[in-house]
Amino acid sequence: MTRETLRSAARASAPTFSPLYRQIKDFLIGCLERGEWRPGDVIPSEGELAQRFNVSQGTVRKAIDEMAAENLLVRRQGKGTFVSTHSDPRAYYRFLRLMPNDGIAVPSVSEPFYCQVVDAPPEVAAVFGLAPGGAVVHIKRLLRFGGEKVVFDQIFLQAEFFPGLTLELLRAGERSLYSLLESDFGVRMISAEEHLRAVAADEECAALLGVQCGEPLLLVERTAYTYGNRPVEWRKGLYCTRNHYYRNELG
Amino acid sequence: MTRETLRSAARASAPTFSPLYRQIKDFLIGCLERGEWRPGDVIPSEGELAQRFNVSQGTVRKAIDEMAAENLLVRRQGKGTFVSTHSDPRAYYRFLRLMPNDGIAVPSVSEPFYCQVVDAPPEVAAVFGLAPGGAVVHIKRLLRFGGEKVVFDQIFLQAEFFPGLTLELLRAGERSLYSLLESDFGVRMISAEEHLRAVAADEECAALLGVQCGEPLLLVERTAYTYGNRPVEWRKGLYCTRNHYYRNELG
DNA sequence: AAGTGGTCTAGACCACCGT
DNA sequence: CGGTGGTCTAGACCACTTG
């Protein structure tokens, strides 16, 4: 593929100016989407990509810079550039913002106890753009921090993307849910949006979390997206915030 | 100032390697801290800065790129690079994550009703690193969205930085609190950390927000920082999340 | 037309990692 | 040592804004 190929493709598909590094970035994202490079893999070096596209190293560099800023790639000096992965223990809790009040981090343990394919509730169908009653996997689990029951999660996934996802599979191994979805089903979560509210505990979750019925809980609704901002997960978490808080940084 | 000045300064102060663009960034941040360029001002052009430091445009560019990514500067093609400001209406709600359930944005109105210099409560003194009982300004206010009472804020500021801050001043004009603190006291908020919990409404805030005593509310504690990660504000907000939610994006 | 930021190049050298 | 990412240059040209 030559530089001219890139330029002409841009002009053909859109009259708006698209810089070279943007086109290269789009190409790299395409490789990730199509699974040509899998999570944890090294991608070709900057020099090699520059040759392949007939551009200078700096142009490839700018494309990779942006993708690294978006957590799609990870640079490691002297080694190469790698596809981000949830299987890296350092990324296990990338999306979990819960912190203990006293600041002392303790290991968290996930205890899934329910996993069934069900008709999508209307709210979930709307998020996924499914027909009402489309098939989704419904997971319920408890998260413990140092033994203490802190979070009750209800997770919904589009069933067609996760055939054979069972409670046994969820319970096997130490990896995080996103790590499992990534390695066993090829679906990678890259961003998410959360909506937070305060609610009163109902009977079910009061029993599960071991709190009084009516106790204030933090309700966290999350929509998670894969490449191309396609929603693939919706979840509803109830957090007991007696000994923990949800941490957020504003820039 | 020459390139050699930059290099030798780096070697003298620290044995660790510090790239040129880093040193230039530090210099630019210093200018902002010392108030040499004020919010809303244009800073010198990339070419001029490159000449001044005896480096190439690309090096200056990288320094400015990072600062733009941190919201310290704003680039405007064809016009120049500007110091970020809370006085820009587009930045009024930079730190406010509250959204209406129905997605229809309505204007918010701040109603401060209390402003006194008081001894710092222990929690606040700890955040500011003040001696117990140090002087802080204590502000109470209500935030309304389309007339509806939604947030009860209690705000604490280090008194020494804000002499003459009164209820009248807070009530005057349309600008946001951070815009006022920036233009009238020269203190600019650049980042913040929030801790969220669910709590039950006590009598005071139930009355203020017009909800039942015991109703679940979202408790948002914020520490806001100015240049150099110096904390200058601590606030405690109680959000009624019946018709609104706290929105957060995870990357 | 002049001035600004935005893109791109070709090549150099440095810092880091593995063998 | 060779290969990788990280820094830096000097200069070119493009895109946008303003006078």
Side-chain angles (χ1 to χ4, degrees):
Chain A
M1 179 177 283
T2 68
R3 181 194 312 177
E4 292 313 313
T5 310
L6 285 174
R7 288 200 195 281
S8 55
R11 303 221 186 276
S13 62
T16 64
F17 172 67
S18 175
L20 270 181
Y21 76 86
R22 229 306 171 200
Q23 301 171 48
I24 289 166
K25 182 180 170 185
D26 289 342
F27 175 86
L28 297 178
I29 290 177
C31 291
L32 295 179
E33 272 193 73
R34 292 188 299 273
E36 294 173 23
W37 302 325
R38 303 193 59 82
D41 286 354
V42 201
I43 73 169
S45 73
E46 295 179 354
E48 189 182 329
L49 289 169
Q51 277 197 329
R52 190 184 303 183
F53 294 122
N54 209 345
V55 300
S56 73
Q57 189 210 17
T59 301
V60 171
R61 202 170 164 72
K62 174 137 185 168
I64 293 178
D65 274 345
E66 288 198 359
M67 294 175 70
E70 295 165 17
N71 293 311
L72 295 176
L73 300 175
V74 177
R75 319 188 85 129
R76 288 187 215 154
Q77 189 174 53
K79 300 172 80 173
T81 302
F82 299 77
V83 181
S84 306
T85 172
H86 288 281
S87 300
D88 182 339
R90 287 168 295 189
Y92 271 17
Y93 305 110
R94 208 177 106 195
F95 288 172
L96 183 57
R97 300 303 190 90
L98 210 58
M99 306 285 290
N101 285 351
D102 56 22
I104 302 167
V106 294
S108 78
V109 177
S110 165
E111 292 179 359
F113 59 89
Y114 175 90
C115 179
Q116 294 291 331
V117 176
V118 300
D119 293 349
E123 189 174 11
V124 176
V127 168
F128 292 153
L130 283 178
V136 295
V137 183
H138 183 187
I139 298 166
K140 301 186 191 184
R141 72 173 183 184
L142 212 54
L143 251 50
R144 286 177 189 267
F145 287 74
E148 187 187 351
K149 295 175 278 190
V150 180
V151 178
F152 169 41
D153 267 330
Q154 292 193 263
I155 300 170
F156 296 89
L157 301 161
Q158 291 203 55
E160 62 172 319
F161 294 157
F162 305 96
L165 178 58
T166 63
L167 194 52
E168 291 66 44
L169 194 54
L170 289 172
R171 280 180 161 148
E174 289 288 307
R175 26 182 207 176
S176 70
L177 175 61
Y178 285 177
S179 171
L180 186 154
L181 299 182
E182 170 185 296
S183 54
D184 289 22
F185 301 94
V187 175
R188 278 164 279 172
M189 306 298 185
I190 58 175
S191 69
E193 177 175 327
E194 295 194 325
H195 294 184
L196 283 73
R197 291 187 187 80
V199 299
D202 64 16
E203 263 186 46
E204 182 189 16
C205 60
L208 280 166
L209 291 172
V211 301
Q212 296 277 331
C213 200
E215 168 146 347
L217 296 176
L218 186 62
L219 167 63
V220 181
E221 296 177 334
R222 175 193 296 179
T223 309
Y225 302 87
T226 187
Y227 297 110
N229 284 317
R230 288 207 323 262
V232 286
E233 182 208 27
W234 188 84
R235 68 165 71 180
K236 175 175 171 166
L238 287 155
Y239 294 26
C240 174
T241 54
R242 274 198 287 216
N243 301 314
H244 298 77
Y245 61 89
Y246 182 102
R247 181 173 183 279
N248 191 28
E249 292 185 25
L250 308 179
Chain B
M1 179 177 281
T2 68
R3 182 193 312 178
E4 291 315 311
T5 309
L6 285 173
R7 288 199 194 281
S8 53
R11 302 221 185 276
S13 62
T16 64
F17 171 69
S18 175
L20 272 180
Y21 76 85
R22 231 304 172 200
Q23 301 171 48
I24 290 167
K25 182 179 171 185
D26 289 342
F27 174 85
L28 297 177
I29 290 177
C31 292
L32 295 179
E33 272 193 74
R34 293 188 299 274
E36 295 173 21
W37 302 325
R38 302 193 60 82
D41 286 355
V42 200
I43 72 169
S45 75
E46 294 179 355
E48 189 183 329
L49 289 169
Q51 276 197 330
R52 189 184 303 183
F53 294 121
N54 210 344
V55 301
S56 73
Q57 190 210 15
T59 301
V60 171
R61 202 170 164 72
K62 175 136 184 167
I64 293 179
D65 273 345
E66 288 197 0
M67 294 175 69
E70 294 165 18
N71 292 312
L72 295 176
L73 299 175
V74 177
R75 319 187 84 130
R76 290 187 213 155
Q77 189 174 54
K79 299 171 80 172
T81 301
F82 298 77
V83 181
S84 307
T85 172
H86 287 282
S87 301
D88 182 339
R90 287 169 294 190
Y92 271 20
Y93 305 111
R94 208 178 104 193
F95 287 171
L96 182 58
R97 300 304 190 88
L98 210 59
M99 305 286 288
N101 285 350
D102 56 22
I104 302 168
V106 293
S108 78
V109 177
S110 165
E111 292 179 0
F113 59 88
Y114 175 91
C115 178
Q116 294 291 331
V117 176
V118 300
D119 292 351
E123 190 174 8
V124 176
V127 168
F128 292 154
L130 283 178
V136 295
V137 183
H138 183 186
I139 298 165
K140 301 186 191 183
R141 70 172 184 185
L142 212 56
L143 251 49
R144 287 177 188 267
F145 288 74
E148 187 187 351
K149 294 176 278 190
V150 180
V151 177
F152 168 42
D153 267 330
Q154 293 193 261
I155 301 170
F156 297 88
L157 301 161
Q158 290 204 55
E160 62 171 321
F161 294 157
F162 306 96
L165 178 57
T166 62
L167 195 52
E168 291 67 43
L169 193 55
L170 288 171
R171 280 181 161 150
E174 289 288 308
R175 17 177 216 181
S176 69
L177 174 63
Y178 285 177
S179 171
L180 185 155
L181 299 182
E182 170 185 295
S183 54
D184 289 21
F185 301 94
V187 175
R188 277 164 280 172
M189 307 298 185
I190 59 175
S191 70
E193 178 175 327
E194 294 194 324
H195 294 184
L196 283 72
R197 290 186 186 82
V199 299
D202 65 16
E203 263 186 46
E204 181 189 17
C205 62
L208 280 166
L209 291 172
V211 301
Q212 296 277 332
C213 200
E215 168 147 347
L217 297 176
L218 186 61
L219 168 64
V220 181
E221 295 177 334
R222 175 193 297 178
T223 309
Y225 302 87
T226 188
Y227 297 111
N229 284 319
R230 289 207 323 262
V232 286
E233 183 208 27
W234 187 84
R235 68 165 72 181
K236 175 175 171 166
L238 287 155
Y239 294 26
C240 173
T241 54
R242 274 198 287 216
N243 300 313
H244 298 78
Y245 61 89
Y246 182 103
R247 183 174 182 279
N248 192 27
E249 292 184 24
L250 307 178

